[in-house]
């Protein structure tokens, strides 16, 4: 097999939002395809008529597109391939390897996404179903992650492959699709290991070539249990809404169960592609650490251009009800780009640049905006600001240094009084740059508001 012959797929079920585990599965498939010059196929396993929804499908496609995991073929929909499954089910019946049954059966099949709650056993209504005869043979696979795994299929009972409603079960449809789509490597969560013996029997019964398997360990929450909704955002796309950027999320997820070697953790996707191999996927479950993701996101945000940050942050400011001037935002972004960890932080970090009335921190007011000294400082600074023709950091620094000498106060007293007066808080970016970014009119308005508060 040459690299160009390699074909992998991501096969989510539109029965819920796309979560972290599913994206990690998609990412590993995509990385392997891009590293080997193969093809990445997208297949939608939508045979669950009751739980499959357009909302879930839209979320899946939207999430994959946002992350930039472009597919080469598809999306293919299993609901449009029913005639194919029926044809192969009939072939098995003709060979005596399957039979029709009126008994109630169950199907424990799941989609190829983790953390979607699809693992519960679903009862097949009473009716005529097609049932595969378990062969009772011993089968094994050389799993790329776990090594040799042996199964004794004599422990398995006969299992349904076509339900009475005409829909295929997971273990049947995925085999037919993988074989006909020429899938060479099945990369999926290791919760699917238990499905593998059934699938191997179907492969062999139909004379299909078996793919290579790489079962990736589960992602766990910080408490050591399987990652679920209670550990974070309910949808991968929700991370976008919260202010995470796609490159950071991909970098973070790539390191959940895969090791590039060395100590470097922040790796652009192009470098991850060059380093990726299935053999370096660890056999141990990875732990999802939101704090680490947030830290990594901050690293990526700091590397964005000012224009990119403005484009990404404007929606968060609007959602917070802040009407911002784009040119003003371009001026102040450099003050915060290395402080922001997620884009939604921008609203809280910059609101005093855009609102006329400051919401003051009470502790800051009690410490710095009290008494005649604070009033004198602000009146003097206001008088100097009003007379300024240029409002750039160097000029602002000069007038404040001049005020310092005239007032006979310490540098800290002067700077902190001004900072609290114009921002409402004791911590901000450099005071000269903050005043320039805020603009002369806003600085004067905020000083007036602070003077009116001083008792």
């Amino acid at each position: 097999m040459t690299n160009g012959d390699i074909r992998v797929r991501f096969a989510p079920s539109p029965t819920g939002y796309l979560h972290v585990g599913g994206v990690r599965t998609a990412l590993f498939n995509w990385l392997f395809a891009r590293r080997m010059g193969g093809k990445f196929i997208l297949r939608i396993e939508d045979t669950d008529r009751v739980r499959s929804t357009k909302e879930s499908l839209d979320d899946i496609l939207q999430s994959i597109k946002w992350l930039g995991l472009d597919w080469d073929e598809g999306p293919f929909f299993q609901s449009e391939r029913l005639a194919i499954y029926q044809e192969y089910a009939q072939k098995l019946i003709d060979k005596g390897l399957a039979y029709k049954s009126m008994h109630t059966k169950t199907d424990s099949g799941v989609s190829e996404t983790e953390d979607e709650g699809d693992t519960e056993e679903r009862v097949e209504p009473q009716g005529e179903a097609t049932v595969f005869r378990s062969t009772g043979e011993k089968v094994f696979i050389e799993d790329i992650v776990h090594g040799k795994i042996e199964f004794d299929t004599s422990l398995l009972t006969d299992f349904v492959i076509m339900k009475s409603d005409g829909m295929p079960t997971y273990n049947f449809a995925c085999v037919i699709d993988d074989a006909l789509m020429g899938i060479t490597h099945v990369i999926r969560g290791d919760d699917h290991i238990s499905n593998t013996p059934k699938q191997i029997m179907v492969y062999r019964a139909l004379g299909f070539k078996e793919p290579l398997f790489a079962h990736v360990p589960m992602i766990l929450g910080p408490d050591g249990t399987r990652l679920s909704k209670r550990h974070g955002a309910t949808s991968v796309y929700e991370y976008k809404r919260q202010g995470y950027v796609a490159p950071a999320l991909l970098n973070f997820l790539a390191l959940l169960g895969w090791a590039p070697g060395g100590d470097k953790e922040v790796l652009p996707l192009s470098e991850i592609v060059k380093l990726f191999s299935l053999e370096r996927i660890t056999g141990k479950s990875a732990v999802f650490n939101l704090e680490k993701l947030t830290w990594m996101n901050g690293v990526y945000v700091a590397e964005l251009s000012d224009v990119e940050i403005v484009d990404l942050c404007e929606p968060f400011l609007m959602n917070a009800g802040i009407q911002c001037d784009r040119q003003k935002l371009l001026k102040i972004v450099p003050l915060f780009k290395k402080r922001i960890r997620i884009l939604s932080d921008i609203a809280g970090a910059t609101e005093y640049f855009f609102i006329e009335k400051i919401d003051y921190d009470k502790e800051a007011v009690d410490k710095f905006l009290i008494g005649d000294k604070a009033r004198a400082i602000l009146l003097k600074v206001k008088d100097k600001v009003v007379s300024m023709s240029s409002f750039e950091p160097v000029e602002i620094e000069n007038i404040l240094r001049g005020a310092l000498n005239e007032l006979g106060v310490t540098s800290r007293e002067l700077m902190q009084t001004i900072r609290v007066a114009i921002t409402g808080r004791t911590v901000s970016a450099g005071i000269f740059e903050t005043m320039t970014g805020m603009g002369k009119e806003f600085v004067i308005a905020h000083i007036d508001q602070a003077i009116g508060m001083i008792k």
Side-chain angles (χ1 to χ4, degrees), residues 165-189:
D165 64 358
M167 304 299 280
T169 59
Y170 163 75
N171 281 315
F172 186 58
C174 83
V175 169
I176 303 302
D177 288 340
D178 285 347
L180 298 184
M181 293 177 185
I183 302 302
T184 59
H185 295 71
V186 172
I187 306 166
R188 60 188 181 186

Side-chain angles (χ1 to χ4, degrees), residues 237-306:
Y237 204 71
E238 184 64 24
Y239 287 99
K240 180 180 186 295
R241 297 187 185 100
Q242 291 179 5
Y244 292 87
V245 294
L249 184 58
L250 290 173
N251 187 163
F252 174 76
L253 292 177
L255 299 179
L256 292 183
W258 171 77
D263 298 327
K264 193 174 180 182
E265 291 187 302
V266 179
L267 300 164
L269 194 58
S270 58
E271 189 172 345
I272 295 174
V273 169
K274 293 177 183 177
L275 296 172
F276 189 80
S277 71
L278 297 178
E279 288 73 19
R280 294 193 71 90
I281 295 176
T282 178
K284 292 177 59 178
S285 294
V287 176
F288 185 87
N289 185 328
L290 185 60
E291 289 184 4
K292 185 173 182 179
L293 169 60
T294 303
W295 164 79
M296 187 173 286
N297 196 73
V299 173
Y300 274 87
V301 169
E303 294 176 351
L304 295 172
S305 70
D306 294 348

Side-chain angles (χ1 to χ4, degrees), residues 138-407:
K138 288 188 177 181
V139 299
F140 70 89
I141 60 170
E142 286 291 346
D143 191 274
I144 297 172
V145 176
H146 296 280
K148 184 176 180 178
I149 304 176
E150 187 170 323
F151 307 96
D152 184 357
T153 63
S154 66
L155 302 176
L156 300 175
T157 60
D158 295 353
F159 54 92
V160 173
I161 56 175
M162 293 294 294
K163 296 180 285 187
S164 60
D165 64 358
M167 304 299 280
T169 59
Y170 163 75
N171 281 315
F172 186 58
C174 83
V175 169
I176 303 302
D177 288 340
D178 285 347
L180 298 184
M181 293 177 185
I183 302 302
T184 59
H185 295 71
V186 172
I187 306 166
R188 60 188 181 186
D190 63 6
D191 56 335
H192 287 277
I193 290 177
S194 60
N195 288 316
T196 306
K198 292 181 179 180
Q199 294 171 11
I200 292 293
M201 285 190 286
V202 175
Y203 274 109
R204 294 180 179 178
L206 289 169
F208 289 146
K209 182 179 179 180
E210 299 164 30
L212 297 174
F213 291 91
H215 286 95
V216 182
M218 292 278 94
I219 300 175
L220 303 179
D223 57 1
T225 62
R226 177 173 171 164
L227 192 67
S228 64
K229 295 177 182 179
R230 70 178 181 276
H231 293 115
T234 57
S235 161
V236 165
Y237 204 71
E238 184 64 24
Y239 287 99
K240 180 180 186 295
R241 297 187 185 100
Q242 291 179 5
Y244 292 87
V245 294
L249 184 58
L250 290 173
N251 187 163
F252 174 76
L253 292 177
L255 299 179
L256 292 183
W258 171 77
D263 298 327
K264 193 174 180 182
E265 291 187 302
V266 179
L267 300 164
L269 194 58
S270 58
E271 189 172 345
I272 295 174
V273 169
K274 293 177 183 177
L275 296 172
F276 189 80
S277 71
L278 297 178
E279 288 73 19
R280 294 193 71 90
I281 295 176
T282 178
K284 292 177 59 178
S285 294
V287 176
F288 185 87
N289 185 328
L290 185 60
E291 289 184 4
K292 185 173 182 179
L293 169 60
T294 303
W295 164 79
M296 187 173 286
N297 196 73
V299 173
Y300 274 87
V301 169
E303 294 176 351
L304 295 172
S305 70
D306 294 348
V307 172
E308 287 175 318
I309 293 179
V310 168
D311 289 341
L312 291 169
C313 285
E314 279 183 317
F316 291 99
L317 290 168
M318 288 189 288
N319 288 340
I322 299 173
Q323 296 298 319
C324 62
D325 177 88
R326 183 177 177 84
Q327 293 307 311
K328 189 174 184 178
L329 192 55
L330 279 168
K331 284 184 179 181
I332 66 175
V333 156
L335 307 180
F336 294 94
K337 64 188 298 183
K338 293 186 178 179
R339 299 166 179 255
I340 295 172
R341 296 198 301 168
I342 57 176
L343 297 174
S344 56
D345 289 343
I346 191 71
T350 66
E351 62 179 357
Y352 52 80
F353 284 92
F354 302 103
I355 57 178
E356 293 186 5
K357 188 172 182 180
I358 295 292
D359 183 15
Y360 288 95
D361 177 75
K362 184 179 185 304
E363 187 175 337
V365 170
D366 291 343
K367 192 170 184 179
F368 294 103
L369 295 185
I370 187 168
D372 292 340
K373 183 184 287 188
R375 182 186 297 274
I377 290 173
L378 295 181
L379 287 171
K380 174 66 71 173
V381 171
K382 176 188 174 183
D383 184 57
K384 289 186 175 292
V385 167
V386 168
S387 65
M388 291 181 70
S389 58
S390 174
F391 208 62
E392 295 300 322
V394 173
E395 287 75 20
I396 292 173
E397 182 177 4
N398 289 335
I399 70 108
L400 291 185
R401 296 300 179 195
L404 188 65
N405 294 329
E406 295 174 26
L407 290 164

Side-chain angles (χ1 to χ4, degrees), residues 49-63:
R49 289 173 169 170
V50 175
R51 297 192 300 152
S52 294
T53 66
K54 184 180 184 302
E55 181 184 16
S56 296
L57 174 62
D58 290 344
D59 177 83
I60 291 169
L61 296 178
Q62 186 174 237
S63 298

